[in-house]
Amino acid sequence: MGYDDNNIFAKILRGEIPCKKVYEDEHALAFHDINPQAPTHVLVIPKGKYVSMVDFAAQATPAEQAGFLRAVGKTASALGLDAGGYRILANHGANAHQEVPHFHVHIFGGKRLGPMLSGGAQPRG
Ligand code: AMP
């Protein structure tokens, strides 16, 4: 799947749509999720045009990958989540219900998050 320049995160990166910014550097932008699923719910996106985890892992340069991972850690620290703990999550594709086709990592925190997955394990069918 090719990268869609009109996806919502591309528009945020271009400044065409506002966001509640938490952190930004040359590799990444972090902002609050518009529909938070926890007291703290922030998205971290790379600045490059990568559709998902598969694309980012295969195509991004080592500097982009390292810079992005560092930005995720810096964002969580900036949010004050290190001591209490937090969860990171990235959805890839249909089974994971990825909605926005620009690679992103969710950071959840601010409460006890409970078991890792909601909805339970479904048999493959
Ligand atoms: P995913 O299902 O992993 O693709 O998650 C996409 C996330 O983007 C969802 O949690 C949405 O609430 C969030 N989202 C969609 N549009 C915006 C926006 N304009 N600003 C911030 N978050 C958004």
Side-chain angles (χ1 to χ4, degrees):
M1 182 169 97
Y3 184 82
D4 174 10
D5 277 311
N6 287 319
N7 80 75
I8 198 123
F9 294 169
K11 291 179 180 177
I12 287 174
L13 279 172
R14 291 196 297 266
E16 295 167 10
I17 293 178
C19 70
K20 283 176 63 184
K21 183 160 77 175
V22 176
Y23 176 81
E24 182 173 18
D25 63 23
E26 64 175 308
H27 293 295
L29 174 67
F31 52 90
H32 288 275
D33 196 291
I34 205 167
N35 183 22
Q37 304 297 309
T40 300
H41 182 178
V42 165
L43 303 169
V44 189
I45 68 175
K47 291 203 165 167
K49 298 179 179 184
Y50 301 105
V51 175
S52 72
M53 176 62 196
V54 171
D55 196 17
F56 187 71
Q59 305 297 336
T61 67
E64 287 176 306
Q65 293 173 353
F68 178 75
L69 188 59
R70 197 175 294 271
V72 174
K74 284 185 175 179
T75 300
S77 297
L79 290 163
L81 296 176
D82 290 350
Y86 58 92
R87 177 172 294 155
I88 61 173
L89 179 154
N91 293 317
H92 165 73
N95 272 0
H97 201 266
Q98 181 181 3
E99 291 177 3
V100 180
H102 180 112
F103 175 53
H104 52 281
V105 165
H106 298 252
I107 300 175
F108 302 99
K111 70 168 187 179
R112 299 275 178 180
L113 294 164
M116 191 163 67
L117 295 175
S118 62
Q122 303 292 326
R124 288 162 149 238

